[in-house]
């Protein structure tokens, strides 16, 4: 009995969907994703995001990747154009700030056709004006 390997859907893989650059000039390129996880952890309600100091955001990383996979599979990644006509995409991370505002991952279209179609621009709270023209993405 042979089995066919399951090939992941690239639209459900966060790293195929978007380039996640470091925030700021002082962050080394190989620490870009970790710097963005720190940014998300700092914005979200306090949680234990790791079980070992060497990987301070391992739990958050897995959570974000699997949340993206789920919302992508469910068709809950919304795409639109902002007021300036720039293509954007957004999904609800399922996380909340200490004030219980939902946190969204916000992407802009990547201008480099050789890379992923989107670039992580920011993690926004529900009240951010950049989300005002979108239908509010539902958490799953």
């Amino acid at each position: 009995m042979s089995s066919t390997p399951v090939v992941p859907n690239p639209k459900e893989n966060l790293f195929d969907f978007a380039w996640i650059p470091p925030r700021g000039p002082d962050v080394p390129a190989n620490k870009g994703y970790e710097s963005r996880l720190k940014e998300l952890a700092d914005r979200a309600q306090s949680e234990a995001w790791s079980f070992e100091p060497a990987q301070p955001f391992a739990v958050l990383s897995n959570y974000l990747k699997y949340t993206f996979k789920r919302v992508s599979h469910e068709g809950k990644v919304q795409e639109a154009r902002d007021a300036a006509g720039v293509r954007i995409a957004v999904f609800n991370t399922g996380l909340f700030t200490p004030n219980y505002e939902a946190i969204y991952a916000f992407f802009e279209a990547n201008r480099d056709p050789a890379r992923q179609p989107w670039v992580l621009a920011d993690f926004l709270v529900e009240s951010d004006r950049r989300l005002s023209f979108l239908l509010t993405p539902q958490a799953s």
Side-chain angles (χ1 to χ4, degrees), residues 41-62:
D42 289 346
R43 179 160 282 181
Q45 292 175 348
S46 182
E47 295 279 342
W49 295 121
S50 177
F51 296 115
E52 59 182 82
Q55 296 179 336
F57 303 107
V59 173
L60 182 57
S61 176
N62 283 331

Side-chain angles (χ1 to χ4, degrees), residues 21-43:
R23 168 94 65 193
D26 298 334
V27 179
N30 66 340
K31 295 291 185 180
Y33 180 57
E34 186 176 313
S35 73
R36 300 311 288 272
L37 290 173
K38 180 181 182 330
E39 181 182 317
L40 179 57
D42 289 346
R43 179 160 282 181

Side-chain angles (χ1 to χ4, degrees), residues 102-118:
I103 300 172
Y104 298 85
F106 181 79
F107 303 87
E108 294 176 346
N110 195 340
R111 290 180 240 163
D112 183 349
R115 297 197 72 125
Q116 300 90 330
W118 299 98

Side-chain angles (χ1 to χ4, degrees), residues 14 31 47 54 63 85 87 122 136:
L14 179 60
K31 295 291 185 180
E47 295 279 342
Y63 172 83
R87 289 180 44 237
D122 213 342
T136 304

